Amino acid sequence: MPYRLSILDKALVPEGTTPQQSLAETVASAQLADRLGFHRYWFAEHHGMPALGSTAPEALAAYVLASTQRIRVGSGGVMLQHYAPFKVAETFNLLAALAPGRVDLGIGKAPGGLPRATRALRSGLADAQPDFADKLRELDAFVFGRLGDEHPLAGALAGPAPAVPPAPILLGASAESAALAAELDWGFCYAGHFDGDPDRMAHAFRVYREATGRTPLLALVAFAAPSEAEAQRLVGPLRLYRVRLATGQKVNVGTPEAAAEFARQSGVADYSVEEIVPNVISGTGAQVRAALDEIHGRLGVEEFVMDAPVAAHDARRASLEELARAILPHVGGVARAAA
C-alpha cells in the first residue's frame, strides 16, 4: 500500500449553527470516515475561538471512539505546555484501555489560542514552565512506565495500564521537532498545513528518517469536489501569518488582524508578521490523488493527515466521499459506500 489517508478535524462551528449541532455533525463525519476506510481521525486543540469547537480533543476522541468501529482516533494534538504530563498520560492510557489498538496520543507545542485563553488555562500555576522537551520526556516516561527511580515523581503510576499503549506522535514543523521525536522513538507528523515550505519540510523528513529509518506523517490541507472550479470556490484563498514577538515567541494565526490581537494580548509592541504558505491541495478527487502521488514519490510519505478548510459540514463530508472514491481503492483503503 503506497500511503494511507487520515483526517484532522477542528470541530468547526459554521456561522448560523449552534455548537451542539456542529459537534453532532463532526461525529457524523468521523463515522463516515470510519465506514469509508480512512486510517485515523484526529481532533485539534483550540481555545477561546467561537468558530472552533475542539477545546478538549481527548473528550471528543472518547465520544468518537465509542461511536465508531475501526478507525484510529486521537489528538492532533494536545497542547502539552498547558498540562501536567501525568494527567495527559492518565487520560490517554484510560482511552487506550477502553479502545485497545485504536488510540493516538498526538502532542503539539503551540498555545492553541490567544494569550488571554492561555493565561486562563494556566491560572493558579507557576509562571515558570518546564522546557517543552523535558515535559515531553516526562510524558513518555509516564505513558510507557519508564520513570526512573531517581526521578522526583518516581512511584506515580499513570493508570490504568492498557494492554496496547496509545501511539505517541509529535506534531511539529521543524527539524528540531523531528529530532526530538526520533530521540524518544515517537512518530512524527510534519505540520505542512501550517508550513508548506518544501526545503524545511524535506530537511525535517531527512532528519527523522536518518535517525529512525521511518518516514514522518504529513499534515496538509486537502479538499475535493466534483469539479476543480467548485473546489476552488469553496476553499478560497488560504493564508497563514506567523507572528514573531520580541520575546522570541512565535505563533501562526489566520489573519494580520489576529496577529495584531495576539501581540496586543501579549502586551508586546515590538513584533513582526510573516506570511507563510500552507500546503494546500484542492480539486477533483483525481486531481488531489495526483498531487498526493507526487508528494509520495518525492518524499516517500506513507500517510497524509488532511485538514479541510471548509466550514460547511455537508461539503466536508462530500469531500471525504470524493477522496475515498478516487484514492482509497488505489492505495489499499476500504472505500465502502456511505451508509
Side-chain angles (χ1 to χ4, degrees), residues 163-233:
V164 181
I169 302 170
L170 179 62
L171 286 65
S174 69
E176 292 77 15
S177 292
L180 178 58
E183 173 199 322
L184 295 174
D185 197 29
W186 281 38
F188 178 61
C189 181
Y190 185 88
H193 60 315
F194 286 148
D195 188 352
D197 181 87
D199 293 334
R200 286 193 290 267
M201 186 185 304
H203 182 43
F205 267 63
R206 185 166 58 252
V207 167
Y208 185 78
R209 185 182 285 117
E210 288 177 355
T212 67
R214 304 192 300 271
T215 300
L217 289 68
L218 176 60
L220 44 70
V221 178
F223 181 81
S227 71
E228 181 179 9
E230 179 69 1
Q232 292 180 351
R233 182 186 70 81

XYZ file of all heavy atoms in Angstrom, residues 163-233:
526
model
N -3.382 -2.691 27.664
C -2.670 -3.782 27.007
C -1.908 -3.269 25.793
O -0.810 -3.742 25.488
C -3.662 -4.877 26.600
N -2.501 -2.303 25.093
C -1.863 -1.675 23.930
C -1.758 -0.184 24.233
O -2.782 0.510 24.275
C -2.667 -1.899 22.643
C -1.956 -1.259 21.453
C -2.881 -3.383 22.388
N -0.574 0.352 24.457
C -0.448 1.773 24.779
C -0.918 2.652 23.631
O -0.962 2.221 22.476
C 1.053 1.952 25.025
C 1.590 0.589 25.239
C 0.729 -0.333 24.445
N -1.270 3.907 23.918
C -1.590 4.841 22.832
C -0.355 5.056 21.960
O 0.777 5.027 22.446
C -1.984 6.119 23.566
C -1.324 6.018 24.904
C -1.295 4.566 25.244
N -0.591 5.267 20.668
C 0.527 5.522 19.753
C 0.978 6.962 19.920
O 0.200 7.891 19.685
C 0.091 5.271 18.315
N 2.236 7.203 20.320
C 2.701 8.570 20.561
C 3.224 9.207 19.278
O 4.057 8.629 18.573
C 3.829 8.364 21.578
C 4.407 7.028 21.221
C 3.271 6.201 20.665
N 2.760 10.416 18.979
C 3.151 11.119 17.760
C 3.357 12.588 18.100
O 2.466 13.237 18.666
C 2.079 10.979 16.663
C 1.840 9.494 16.349
C 2.503 11.720 15.391
C 0.634 9.238 15.462
N 4.519 13.115 17.763
C 4.802 14.529 17.961
C 4.462 15.291 16.687
O 4.847 14.880 15.593
C 6.274 14.730 18.321
C 6.733 16.179 18.534
C 5.989 16.826 19.704
C 8.236 16.234 18.779
N 3.745 16.403 16.842
C 3.402 17.264 15.718
C 4.341 18.460 15.723
O 4.542 19.094 16.766
C 1.956 17.750 15.818
C 0.844 16.748 15.518
C 0.809 15.613 16.534
C -0.506 17.455 15.496
N 4.913 18.783 14.577
C 5.818 19.917 14.515
C 6.149 20.286 13.090
O 5.790 19.572 12.150
N 6.843 21.406 12.923
C 7.201 21.886 11.589
C 8.652 22.333 11.559
O 8.983 23.357 10.972
C 6.281 23.018 11.153
N 9.521 21.556 12.193
C 10.932 21.917 12.226
C 11.778 20.668 12.353
O 11.312 19.611 12.804
C 11.230 22.850 13.404
O 11.096 22.152 14.637
N 13.053 20.823 11.973
C 13.992 19.720 12.140
C 14.212 19.412 13.616
O 14.460 18.260 13.987
C 15.309 20.066 11.461
N 14.110 20.445 14.473
C 14.286 20.228 15.911
C 13.192 19.316 16.455
O 13.466 18.413 17.260
C 14.284 21.563 16.648
C 15.488 22.444 16.363
C 15.419 23.147 15.003
O 14.326 23.188 14.397
O 16.471 23.635 14.548
N 11.960 19.536 16.025
C 10.866 18.658 16.456
C 11.065 17.240 15.934
O 10.807 16.260 16.637
C 9.529 19.214 15.972
O 9.207 20.418 16.623
N 11.517 17.127 14.693
C 11.776 15.801 14.122
C 12.841 15.069 14.932
O 12.710 13.867 15.218
C 12.213 15.944 12.667
N 13.899 15.781 15.345
C 14.968 15.162 16.120
C 14.473 14.743 17.504
O 14.864 13.684 18.027
C 16.143 16.128 16.248
N 13.607 15.563 18.125
C 13.072 15.224 19.441
C 12.188 13.984 19.360
O 12.268 13.093 20.215
C 12.286 16.416 20.001
C 11.618 16.217 21.368
C 12.644 15.847 22.438
C 10.854 17.484 21.766
N 11.350 13.905 18.329
C 10.517 12.712 18.147
C 11.387 11.476 17.961
O 11.108 10.407 18.523
C 9.591 12.905 16.946
N 12.439 11.622 17.181
C 13.336 10.491 16.950
C 14.035 10.066 18.229
O 14.207 8.862 18.502
C 14.359 10.859 15.875
N 14.456 11.038 19.035
C 15.131 10.728 20.306
C 14.269 9.836 21.188
O 14.754 8.899 21.835
C 15.457 12.029 21.040
C 16.002 11.840 22.442
C 15.888 13.100 23.289
O 16.091 14.210 22.747
O 15.604 12.982 24.499
N 12.953 10.122 21.226
C 12.036 9.372 22.077
C 11.449 8.143 21.379
O 10.665 7.414 21.989
C 10.900 10.293 22.537
C 11.306 11.448 23.445
C 10.126 12.370 23.703
C 11.880 10.932 24.747
N 11.794 7.945 20.111
C 11.221 6.879 19.291
C 9.710 7.047 19.145
O 8.953 6.075 19.137
C 11.563 5.497 19.861
C 11.340 4.391 18.824
O 11.475 4.665 17.621
O 11.014 3.257 19.227
N 9.280 8.287 19.038
C 7.888 8.604 18.760
C 7.681 8.729 17.255
O 8.633 8.946 16.491
C 7.509 9.943 19.396
C 7.216 9.894 20.865
C 7.849 9.147 21.810
C 6.215 10.643 21.548
N 7.305 9.382 23.053
C 6.299 10.297 22.915
C 5.270 11.579 21.138
C 5.450 10.854 23.885
C 4.424 12.140 22.099
C 4.511 11.777 23.455
N 6.417 8.616 16.837
C 6.091 9.006 15.490
C 6.219 10.516 15.352
O 6.229 11.248 16.346
N 6.319 10.994 14.116
C 6.431 12.428 13.862
C 5.512 12.789 12.711
O 5.478 12.120 11.679
C 7.871 12.812 13.511
C 8.054 14.278 13.193
C 7.762 15.248 14.146
C 8.500 14.681 11.949
C 7.929 16.591 13.857
C 8.676 16.022 11.652
C 8.381 16.988 12.612
N 4.734 13.850 12.895
C 3.859 14.365 11.850
C 4.286 15.785 11.527
O 4.225 16.665 12.393
C 2.388 14.335 12.295
S 1.232 14.928 11.024
N 4.738 15.992 10.293
C 5.154 17.328 9.884
C 3.917 18.161 9.568
O 3.044 17.759 8.794
C 6.069 17.267 8.655
C 6.617 18.630 8.299
C 7.797 19.088 8.877
C 5.938 19.475 7.425
C 8.293 20.355 8.577
C 6.427 20.735 7.121
C 7.600 21.172 7.702
O 8.084 22.426 7.415
N 3.856 19.363 10.158
C 2.664 20.219 10.050
C 2.702 21.042 8.764
O 2.871 22.259 8.783
C 2.557 21.114 11.275
N 2.530 20.375 7.643
C 2.507 21.069 6.367
C 1.291 21.947 6.181
O 1.285 22.834 5.318
N 0.248 21.727 6.981
C -0.924 22.604 6.911
C -0.619 23.967 7.514
O -1.387 24.918 7.309
C -2.128 21.966 7.600
C -1.939 21.648 9.044
N -0.812 21.046 9.544
C -2.743 21.850 10.122
C -0.929 20.886 10.848
N -2.086 21.373 11.227
N 0.475 24.075 8.270
C 0.950 25.362 8.774
C 2.109 25.910 7.945
O 2.228 27.120 7.761
C 1.401 25.241 10.236
C 0.268 25.126 11.211
C 0.424 24.385 12.366
C -0.937 25.756 10.987
C -0.609 24.273 13.282
C -1.979 25.651 11.893
C -1.813 24.911 13.041
N 2.972 25.036 7.503
C 4.156 25.484 6.775
C 4.465 24.487 5.671
O 4.958 23.387 5.932
C 5.352 25.607 7.730
C 6.565 26.260 7.059
O 6.521 26.476 5.838
O 7.533 26.552 7.773
N 4.171 24.889 4.439
C 4.404 24.010 3.305
C 5.710 24.261 2.592
O 5.900 23.785 1.465
N 6.641 25.005 3.211
C 7.920 25.280 2.572
C 8.627 23.962 2.243
O 8.929 23.167 3.143
C 8.803 26.115 3.495
C 10.142 26.451 2.855
O 10.205 27.468 2.151
O 11.102 25.684 3.066
N 8.900 23.692 0.962
C 9.445 22.378 0.595
C 10.832 22.107 1.152
O 11.160 20.954 1.459
C 9.451 22.418 -0.941
C 9.413 23.866 -1.300
C 8.646 24.540 -0.213
N 11.653 23.140 1.300
C 13.003 22.915 1.826
C 12.973 22.556 3.303
O 13.666 21.620 3.747
C 13.866 24.163 1.603
C 14.143 24.415 0.124
O 14.119 23.441 -0.659
O 14.349 25.582 -0.250
N 12.183 23.310 4.102
C 12.084 22.986 5.534
C 11.457 21.602 5.736
O 11.866 20.844 6.623
C 11.288 24.063 6.269
C 12.048 25.366 6.470
C 11.352 26.283 7.459
N 10.122 26.839 6.932
C 10.050 28.014 6.302
N 11.141 28.735 6.125
N 8.892 28.472 5.865
N 10.461 21.302 4.914
C 9.812 20.006 5.020
C 10.795 18.878 4.703
O 10.900 17.896 5.455
C 8.624 19.953 4.053
C 7.770 18.712 4.176
S 6.478 18.644 2.905
C 5.628 20.212 3.187
N 11.522 19.008 3.609
C 12.457 17.963 3.211
C 13.544 17.779 4.271
O 13.969 16.641 4.559
C 13.076 18.303 1.863
N 14.002 18.891 4.876
C 15.036 18.804 5.912
C 14.529 18.043 7.125
O 15.213 17.151 7.666
C 15.494 20.206 6.301
C 16.577 20.238 7.330
N 17.663 19.385 7.306
C 16.742 21.014 8.448
C 18.456 19.633 8.333
N 17.906 20.598 9.044
N 13.307 18.374 7.578
C 12.740 17.677 8.740
C 12.539 16.198 8.430
O 12.812 15.328 9.277
C 11.422 18.325 9.140
N 12.058 15.888 7.229
C 11.888 14.485 6.832
C 13.228 13.754 6.877
O 13.316 12.618 7.356
C 11.292 14.414 5.424
C 9.796 14.313 5.397
C 9.003 15.335 5.898
C 9.170 13.201 4.880
C 7.631 15.257 5.878
C 7.792 13.099 4.854
C 7.009 14.134 5.355
N 14.266 14.390 6.365
C 15.575 13.757 6.316
C 16.116 13.495 7.720
O 16.652 12.413 8.009
C 16.538 14.639 5.529
C 17.926 14.025 5.308
C 18.698 14.791 4.261
N 18.853 16.208 4.601
C 18.204 17.204 3.986
N 17.337 16.946 3.004
N 18.415 18.464 4.332
N 15.968 14.475 8.619
C 16.445 14.311 9.996
C 15.757 13.124 10.663
O 16.408 12.277 11.298
C 16.206 15.611 10.801
C 16.387 15.369 12.295
C 17.143 16.706 10.323
N 14.436 13.048 10.513
C 13.695 11.971 11.177
C 14.007 10.618 10.542
O 14.222 9.618 11.241
C 12.195 12.249 11.108
C 11.364 11.252 11.870
C 11.267 11.323 13.257
C 10.677 10.230 11.218
C 10.509 10.401 13.967
C 9.919 9.304 11.922
C 9.836 9.393 13.297
O 9.098 8.472 14.002
N 14.060 10.568 9.227
C 14.296 9.302 8.540
C 15.693 8.759 8.834
O 15.864 7.553 9.055
C 14.102 9.479 7.036
C 14.205 8.167 6.256
C 14.051 8.396 4.766
N 12.676 8.645 4.392
C 12.235 9.778 3.855
N 13.069 10.794 3.654
N 10.970 9.925 3.523
N 16.693 9.642 8.849
C 18.062 9.181 9.115
C 18.212 8.660 10.534
O 19.015 7.753 10.784
C 19.044 10.326 8.859
C 19.214 10.661 7.380
C 20.133 11.843 7.152
O 20.561 12.472 8.154
O 20.422 12.152 5.977
N 17.436 9.208 11.475
C 17.549 8.782 12.878
C 16.751 7.520 13.180
O 17.119 6.750 14.068
C 17.105 9.912 13.802
N 15.639 7.307 12.460
C 14.723 6.215 12.811
C 14.550 5.164 11.730
O 14.058 4.067 12.019
C 13.324 6.774 13.153
O 12.747 7.332 11.961
C 13.395 7.833 14.238
N 14.856 5.515 10.492
C 14.559 4.612 9.385
C 13.103 4.648 8.973
O 12.689 3.883 8.091
N 12.332 5.545 9.597
C 10.913 5.668 9.261
C 10.645 7.026 8.608
O 11.475 7.933 8.675
C 10.043 5.520 10.520
C 10.294 4.220 11.272
C 9.228 3.978 12.335
N 9.157 5.022 13.333
C 9.858 5.046 14.461
N 10.734 4.081 14.728
N 9.727 6.017 15.336
N 9.464 7.152 8.019
C 9.072 8.383 7.341
C 8.004 9.096 8.154
O 7.064 8.454 8.643
C 8.523 8.075 5.939
O 9.546 7.412 5.184
C 8.121 9.351 5.212
N 8.086 10.413 8.327
C 7.037 11.132 9.047
C 5.692 11.066 8.330
O 5.618 10.851 7.112
C 7.552 12.581 9.073
C 9.010 12.482 8.823
C 9.196 11.301 7.926
N 4.634 11.258 9.098
C 3.338 11.564 8.517
C 3.385 13.014 8.031
O 4.185 13.812 8.526
C 2.224 11.427 9.552
C 1.822 10.038 10.046
C 2.909 9.382 10.888
C 0.528 10.131 10.871
N 2.526 13.361 7.090
C 2.471 14.734 6.597
C 1.050 15.264 6.717
O 0.113 14.712 6.121
C 2.927 14.810 5.141
C 2.828 16.191 4.482
C 3.687 17.220 5.224
C 3.228 16.123 3.012
N 0.875 16.328 7.505
C -0.417 17.017 7.586
C -0.453 18.099 6.522
O 0.522 18.827 6.312
C -0.608 17.633 8.971
N -1.556 18.203 5.817
C -1.734 19.231 4.797
C -3.212 19.550 4.657
O -4.070 18.885 5.221
C -1.127 18.789 3.467
C -1.364 17.353 2.972
C -2.807 17.129 2.542
C -0.426 17.020 1.821
N -3.492 20.608 3.915
C -4.874 20.998 3.643
C -5.285 20.355 2.329
O -4.620 20.540 1.298
C -5.015 22.530 3.556
C -6.448 22.915 3.215
C -4.609 23.162 4.879
N -6.355 19.579 2.347
C -6.817 18.908 1.138
C -8.332 18.922 1.097
O -8.990 18.646 2.108
C -6.288 17.476 1.071
N -8.862 19.223 -0.075
C -10.311 19.280 -0.227
C -10.662 18.888 -1.654
O -10.027 19.339 -2.605
C -10.834 20.689 0.067
C -12.330 20.816 -0.039
C -13.140 20.410 1.012
C -12.928 21.305 -1.187
C -14.518 20.504 0.922
C -14.297 21.408 -1.286
C -15.101 21.007 -0.215
N -11.688 18.047 -1.791
C -12.110 17.580 -3.107
C -13.582 17.880 -3.338
O -14.394 17.881 -2.404
C -11.856 16.081 -3.251
N -13.920 18.139 -4.590
C -15.298 18.400 -5.013
C -15.474 17.797 -6.405
O -14.491 17.394 -7.049
C -15.571 19.904 -5.030
N -16.705 17.720 -6.907
C -16.905 17.121 -8.237
C -16.167 17.841 -9.363
O -15.838 17.231 -10.373
C -18.424 17.204 -8.423
C -18.969 17.191 -7.033
C -17.982 17.970 -6.222
N -15.904 19.139 -9.201
C -15.174 19.880 -10.226
C -14.088 20.724 -9.578
O -14.186 21.099 -8.400
C -16.112 20.786 -11.035
O -16.545 21.872 -10.245
N -13.049 21.040 -10.354
C -11.973 21.876 -9.848
C -12.487 23.262 -9.477
O -12.101 23.826 -8.446
C -10.866 21.991 -10.898
C -9.679 22.824 -10.441
C -8.595 22.900 -11.494
O -8.837 22.447 -12.637
O -7.504 23.412 -11.193
N -13.378 23.798 -10.300
C -13.907 25.136 -10.032
C -14.685 25.166 -8.718
O -14.574 26.116 -7.940
C -14.801 25.586 -11.185
N -15.478 24.110 -8.472
C -16.246 24.059 -7.230
C -15.323 23.942 -6.024
O -15.540 24.596 -4.995
C -17.206 22.871 -7.266
C -18.047 22.683 -6.017
C -19.100 23.770 -5.806
O -19.208 24.680 -6.649
O -19.826 23.701 -4.793
N -14.279 23.146 -6.132
C -13.328 23.008 -5.025
C -12.643 24.333 -4.729
O -12.530 24.748 -3.567
C -12.289 21.938 -5.357
N -12.210 25.033 -5.753
C -11.525 26.307 -5.544
C -12.467 27.357 -4.989
O -12.073 28.186 -4.166
C -10.892 26.763 -6.851
C -9.731 25.886 -7.298
C -9.109 26.340 -8.601
O -9.634 27.219 -9.281
N -7.982 25.743 -8.960
N -13.719 27.318 -5.419
C -14.699 28.279 -4.897
C -14.923 28.070 -3.407
O -15.011 29.032 -2.634
C -16.025 28.124 -5.641
C -17.107 29.122 -5.188
C -18.430 28.838 -5.855
N -19.040 27.620 -5.367
C -19.737 27.508 -4.237
N -19.887 28.580 -3.457
N -20.279 26.372 -3.877
